Amino acid sequence: MLRISACRLLGRTGASRLSLLEDFSLRHYSSDPLGVRDDTRDARAYFTTPIFYVNAAPHIGHLYSALLADALCRHHRLRVPSAAATRFSTGTDEHGLKIQQAAAAAGLAPSELCDRVSAQFQQLFREADISSTDFIRTTEARHRMAVQHFWGVLKARGLLYKGLYEGWYCASDECFLPEAKVTRQTGPSGDLCPVSLESGHPVSWTKEENYIFRLSQFREPLQRWLRGDPQAITPEPFHHAVLQWLEEELPDLSVSRRSSHLHWGIPVPGDDSQTIYVWLDALVNYLTVIGYPNPEFKSWWPTTSHIIGKDILKFHAIYWPALLLGAGMSPPHRIYVHSHWTVCGQKMSKSLGNVVDPRTCLDRYTVDGFRYFLLRQGVPNWDCDYYGEKVVKLLDSELAFSLGGLLNRCTANRINPSGTYPAFCTTCFPSEPGLLGPTGRAQAEDYALVSAVATLPKQVADHYDNFQIYKALEAVSSCVRQTNGFVQRHAPWKLNWESPVDAPWLGTVLHVALECLRVFGTLLQPVTPSLADKLLSRLGVSATERGLGELHFLPRFYGHPCPFEGRRLGPETGVLFPRLDQSRAWLVKAHKT
Ligand code: MSP
């Protein structure tokens, strides 16, 4: 593992610069200098998004869930390049009372509504470059078979019984609620109506005979699981919240509804008078995708990472693991939880008329631009607010100006007339400041830059592991700024290729900046795949040189050959990212929210 102490220099003054430069120590150059290859980890990984309700068109919150999963999955692929090692599923949740009622309200057959809205999700995900390997619809025959099999296993293990369920049901959230979670709100006609305390959605009183799952038996096993695996639910506050919930009694869970009331769903095997509860139906999608009940699913299941919003934590962190344990399986490997997007400070809702259409945003800000915005600004632990000016400001500053400007500065014909990756001069920039001779030109800040970029891939990988993708992007962005500072400091435009004194240093400045750009391009692939492709192609980096295993930053500095040195740059294909405030000022005005 490479470790450089130059970053300690940053806070010190110029007076003691030389002696401080001598502090700089370079340990060794390993075959995995970035420390991101993790051979002990199973190469396989299975990422899932929640499956989306088809009662309404997709919004930016849905896209955000899918983007987080996409970025995690793409980052995993960079670590483990074998495509066969990764699966990534998404899909639509098409059964249940909510959909049955939405279809009735729209005057459509439920299947028609499902086809229509499921197609919208599929199209959105195609346009947004979501690299899923599976799209599941719960109305598919393969899923019905998996759910009924799963039900049969729970039944055979004595975990289902018939009983009278009486209590509140919220169709919008598709969940049962205890009295303590219900409040009264004045409805449109002035009457007091019962609503869910958490979501504010209306609830109705239900009394019927259902099948009931012995959830209460699983309180202790769930506590053992979570206490034994502190990273099971990430970020930590959500892990903590679930353990808090488990401090209280866990009542058994009703897992079917009368078919006369809920016909749009999967019938209970052997009892057509009952329809399987939509959450049990929906959660099993994660197994259907990997082939359950065929034994092949067993090799994928232990590698599962669920990406979910905070509103569906209870279903994924309590009901689902309990159902899995009941069926003789292990709980999911990881549950990554994110918070929500609000719009101009308000919750997004159809009734408020403030739902942001993600396809319009992709169109306005470009696919990569909008992906970058959501992932750079979205913080899993807290809700984030969306408004149009914020997008323009961020993208102009970080993608158009900072990153695009840097690429332009290092590749423009007037600075780099040969159109190549210039040679690195080891006497101008020796691997240790103590070796700086009369031709040495590197300064303390330059060593700090090399140190920062050398450790960036590991830092980024750690942030991905902790589901803090915005921090990974923040770290990249900070290094881009530092590289711009490096170029600015040495002003290559003032150096002369014809001068034997300037030329080696000019080449070195460009070489270092291009190497930094190569690292940034590689690390941005999970978030801005097209922009990263454009950047890497411009640098002449081939498709087989874009993984994390191949990312040996600045090998010449460490005394190793550099495969890029002297190589022709790729063709010029225009600006990396267009400035939005100039080219689209009129659109921004029209899109104040
Ligand atoms: N169908 C269930 C999930 C079943 S998974 C077995 C469901 N669907 S949903 O369409 O309502 O939500 C899907 C995802 O979108 C959830 O992760 C939810 O948190 C997320 N979001 C919904 N609104 C959101 C925001 N305003 N912001 C961010 N994500 C949000 O729940």
Side-chain angles (χ1 to χ4, degrees):
M1 179 60 213
L2 172 79
R3 207 162 285 171
I4 303 173
S5 63
C7 46
R8 284 191 279 124
L9 299 175
L10 271 174
R12 303 190 191 172
T13 60
S16 53
R17 206 188 111 225
L18 249 182
S19 62
L20 288 171
L21 283 174
E22 273 141 22
D23 269 6
F24 188 91
S25 73
L26 176 74
R27 291 220 188 123
H28 62 277
Y29 184 87
S30 87
S31 62
D32 180 20
L34 308 163
V36 294
R37 232 173 20 218
D38 186 350
D39 296 331
T40 56
R41 230 159 94 136
D42 188 344
R44 281 195 172 201
Y46 171 38
F47 297 94
T48 72
T49 74
I51 48 171
F52 300 90
Y53 286 131
V54 289
N55 61 308
H59 60 57
I60 58 166
H62 300 134
L63 177 60
Y64 180 58
S65 269
L67 276 177
L68 286 165
D70 188 46
L72 281 185
C73 180
R74 284 176 184 267
H75 189 262
H76 180 83
R77 290 189 191 123
L78 286 184
R79 286 175 164 177
V80 182
S82 146
T86 327
R87 286 185 83 162
F88 171 18
S89 80
T90 186
T92 39
D93 188 354
E94 307 191 1
H95 288 137
L97 205 54
K98 183 182 175 100
I99 309 305
Q100 188 178 301
Q101 290 174 349
L108 295 170
S111 64
E112 253 179 291
L113 178 70
C114 293
D115 287 349
R116 193 178 286 183
V117 183
S118 181
Q120 292 178 8
F121 274 99
Q122 292 181 53
Q123 182 166 358
L124 169 67
F125 292 164
R126 258 196 313 275
E127 286 176 12
D129 230 344
I130 301 295
S131 62
S132 49
T133 56
D134 295 86
F135 190 97
I136 178 156
R137 299 183 56 185
T138 52
T139 44
E140 288 175 61
R142 61 170 173 155
H143 180 65
R144 181 189 176 110
M145 206 262 282
V147 171
Q148 292 190 327
H149 185 90
F150 191 83
W151 180 279
V153 174
L154 294 178
K155 188 101 208 293
R157 292 174 149 242
L159 293 168
L160 301 177
Y161 64 95
K162 242 181 161 181
L164 187 71
Y165 178 80
E166 188 168 4
W168 295 105
Y169 192 77
C170 176
S172 287
D173 304 338
E174 294 283 19
C175 71
F176 301 95
L177 293 167
E179 185 64 47
K181 293 280 167 71
V182 174
T183 184
R184 306 292 185 284
Q185 241 175 33
T186 316
S189 53
D191 300 344
L192 274 186
C193 305
V195 296
S196 157
L197 202 58
E198 269 167 30
S199 68
H201 293 138
V203 298
S204 57
W205 189 256
T206 311
K207 183 176 176 183
E208 56 181 56
E209 194 176 45
N210 295 149
Y211 286 92
I212 297 182
F213 171 62
R214 297 186 191 281
L215 181 63
S216 54
Q217 288 188 2
F218 292 90
R219 190 169 145 220
E220 280 174 21
L222 291 175
Q223 286 173 329
R224 273 199 299 279
W225 162 55
L226 290 176
R227 289 190 183 130
D229 186 356
Q231 283 174 330
I233 303 173
T234 304
E236 196 283 329
F238 295 108
H239 189 96
H240 182 75
V242 177
L243 275 170
Q244 286 288 110
W245 294 337
L246 288 170
E247 288 295 308
E248 290 179 18
E249 281 303 305
L250 202 53
D252 284 351
L253 177 71
S254 166
V255 284
S256 72
R257 307 299 308 273
R258 248 187 311 118
S259 314
S260 54
H261 182 60
L262 171 68
H263 60 82
W264 185 240
I266 300 176
V268 166
D271 184 354
D272 279 359
S273 72
Q274 294 276 318
T275 302
I276 295 178
Y277 175 40
V278 65
W279 267 103
L280 192 156
D281 168 343
L283 288 162
V284 172
N285 94 83
Y286 302 130
L287 293 175
T288 308
V289 165
I290 49 174
Y292 180 85
N294 296 326
E296 65 176 89
F297 89 91
K298 291 185 183 154
S299 61
W300 286 102
W301 182 247
T303 73
T304 303
S305 296
H306 293 317
I307 287 82
I308 59 160
K310 63 180 184 180
D311 55 321
I312 53 176
L313 180 58
K314 180 180 65 190
F315 302 96
H316 284 81
I318 294 185
Y319 297 174
W320 182 224
L323 288 163
L324 286 162
L325 288 170
M329 288 177 242
S330 55
H333 175 56
R334 290 278 171 271
I335 301 176
Y336 293 111
V337 190
H338 66 80
S339 297
H340 281 186
W341 281 91
T342 54
V343 175
C344 298
Q346 280 184 309
K347 191 174 164 174
M348 238 186 305
S349 89
K350 246 189 348 191
S351 51
L352 287 172
N354 64 351
V355 174
V356 181
D357 170 16
R359 290 180 64 197
T360 311
C361 296
L362 294 172
D363 219 32
R364 282 183 181 149
Y365 308 120
T366 75
V367 171
D368 282 46
F370 199 55
R371 286 177 62 107
Y372 185 82
F373 169 78
L374 288 180
L375 293 172
R376 171 80 170 87
Q377 290 285 313
V379 178
N381 303 45
W382 300 282
D383 285 355
C384 300
D385 197 37
Y386 171 86
Y387 54 94
E389 284 96 335
K390 189 150 126 189
V391 189
V392 173
K393 230 176 173 171
L394 178 87
L395 299 183
D396 275 358
S397 129
E398 295 194 356
L399 295 187
F401 184 69
S402 201
L403 185 65
L406 179 62
L407 177 67
N408 194 36
R409 284 167 133 190
C410 306
T411 53
N413 190 45
R414 79 201 122 79
I415 281 185
N416 188 347
S418 65
T420 58
Y421 228 90
F424 178 87
C425 164
T426 49
T427 51
C428 298
F429 202 152
S431 62
E432 294 191 34
L435 302 175
L436 273 169
T439 52
R441 306 280 281 264
Q443 302 174 8
E445 293 92 329
D446 306 337
Y447 284 94
L449 169 71
V450 169
S451 168
V453 179
T455 51
L456 183 64
K458 167 81 171 81
Q459 219 185 323
V460 164
D462 290 344
H463 289 317
Y464 270 86
D465 286 341
N466 296 323
F467 198 47
Q468 303 286 335
I469 298 174
Y470 79 100
K471 282 195 184 165
L473 293 174
E474 204 168 78
V476 172
S477 175
S478 150
C479 281
V480 174
R481 274 198 305 277
Q482 220 174 326
T483 314
N484 268 314
F486 166 78
V487 174
Q488 192 67 32
R489 199 159 48 245
H490 299 298
W493 48 90
K494 290 189 186 154
L495 300 172
N496 182 358
W497 280 113
E498 306 303 323
S499 148
V501 180
D502 282 357
W505 177 234
L506 172 51
T508 303
V509 170
L510 293 184
H511 182 105
V512 171
L514 290 171
E515 275 294 273
C516 293
L517 276 163
R518 185 169 66 82
V519 171
F520 307 147
T522 305
L523 296 176
L524 283 173
Q525 291 176 98
V527 173
T528 53
S530 304
L531 177 139
D533 173 48
K534 194 169 177 180
L535 170 53
L536 293 170
S537 300
R538 178 70 174 122
L539 301 183
V541 180
S542 71
T544 54
E545 296 168 322
R546 297 179 179 188
L548 292 176
E550 293 72 55
L551 185 58
H552 300 286
F553 169 61
L554 205 58
R556 295 279 285 109
F557 178 79
Y558 305 107
H560 291 265
C562 170
F564 301 98
E565 197 171 64
R567 196 188 279 188
R568 278 214 75 72
L569 295 178
E572 148 79 298
T573 46
V575 291
L576 186 66
F577 190 82
R579 278 188 65 172
L580 297 166
D581 67 343
Q582 283 178 354
S583 54
R584 301 170 185 223
W586 62 276
L587 272 174
V588 177
K589 247 187 217 154
H591 186 59
K592 277 286 176 206
T593 58

